[in-house]
Amino acid sequence: MTQAKASGAGLRILVSAGPTYEDIDPVRFIGNRSSGKMGFAVAEAAARSGARVVLVAGPVALPTPPGVTRLDVRSAAQMHEAVLGQLPADIYIGAAAVADFTPRQVAGSKIKKREGESGLTLDLVRTPDILAEVAGHAARPRLVVGFAAETDEVERYARDKLARKRLDLIAANRVGVAGSGFESDDNALTVYWTDGQRALGPAPKTVLAGQLLELILERLPAG
Ligand code: PMT
């Protein structure tokens, strides 16, 4: 007998996905390799579960999943404003790869190379930590789920983020290796919570997203 899928009916689920681009001047930016595939698959799985889903998406070339309301943003500052503007929600899932630093100032015109100059120093400032702010918000969702993209010591760094950002769950994936993390169609996740963990995959991101959503709905405290 197959187990019935958990239902998200009646829930409002907020998901972030994709990279952020931090402009340096009108032609250059700081970005990262997130394609949005993982977060979009999570949003699609959430909509399939019957939830009302809002997806805050960084700059990616992906179609909007069926039944999902999408808000497009570019920078970490815009993502911060869009996500906080969508609270309250029952669940927040932060799958976006938000830039940790942004140029202090955006140059109004293209920065030119000068004769004899050997380099360029950028003055960067920290971006707001969207996930930590959502977890500490007066309208905190009942479940706040982060992602952790790590190259090594995956469990140690993921558990550190779980505690420091006051999350309920964190889905850790290895980056910098083929077949998981950024850009790939496949991934493998280990989801951690204070007194437990569960390994999901390796599998296509579309399949993993469904399994992650099941786990999230299983661990959602009664509202
Ligand atoms: O988009 P794909 O190509 O499919 O790749 C998927 C993915 C690798 C991007 C995804 O699975 C993933 O791991 N997303 C999180 C990437 C990341 O930025 O991880 P982090 O360990 O640097 O950040 C930890 C958490 O804090 C994340 O939930 C992030 O959304 C959040 N954060 C980080 C910085 C910041 N200023 N605000 C945040 O909310």
Side-chain angles (χ1 to χ4, degrees), residues 34-36 38 94-96 127-128 130-131 147 161 165 173 183 205:
S34 172
S35 63
M38 190 70 244
T127 55
I130 302 166
L131 183 60
F147 269 72
K161 283 172 188 163
K165 301 194 187 203
N173 46 194
E183 294 170 315
K205 284 177 177 171

Side-chain angles (χ1 to χ4, degrees), residues 46-207:
R48 240 187 293 119
S49 78
R52 282 178 296 134
V53 181
V54 176
L55 171 62
V56 178
V60 296
L62 292 176
T64 307
V68 167
T69 301
R70 172 176 180 171
L71 301 175
D72 285 315
V73 298
R74 178 175 172 85
S75 64
Q78 290 170 0
M79 187 170 277
H80 175 250
E81 192 183 336
V83 166
L84 293 185
Q86 287 301 313
L87 294 178
D90 296 287
I91 299 172
Y92 175 67
I93 306 168
V98 186
D100 292 311
F101 297 94
T102 192
R104 187 180 297 278
Q105 279 187 328
V106 182
S109 49
K110 185 180 174 189
I111 299 170
K112 306 301 285 181
K113 299 186 285 292
R114 291 211 198 85
E115 203 57 46
E117 219 173 31
S118 63
L120 172 73
T121 303
L122 289 175
D123 184 11
L124 303 177
V125 293
R126 286 288 294 269
T127 55
D129 190 322
I130 302 166
L131 183 60
E133 275 194 42
V134 169
H137 201 277
R140 187 192 198 279
R142 276 190 281 152
L143 205 79
V144 178
V145 184
F147 269 72
E150 310 293 347
T151 52
D152 48 7
E153 297 200 60
V154 175
E155 175 162 4
R156 183 158 82 85
Y157 290 127
R159 285 202 174 277
D160 173 66
K161 283 172 188 163
L162 178 75
R164 198 164 28 86
K165 301 194 187 203
R166 292 183 289 162
L167 311 177
D168 300 295
L169 296 176
I170 191 153
N173 46 194
R174 203 172 273 280
V175 293
V177 292
S180 76
F182 292 107
E183 294 170 315
S184 160
D185 286 337
D186 299 326
N187 204 2
L189 298 172
T190 307
V191 187
Y192 299 98
W193 57 97
T194 307
D195 53 1
Q197 68 182 69
R198 189 179 298 174
L200 305 176
K205 284 177 177 171
T206 47
V207 173

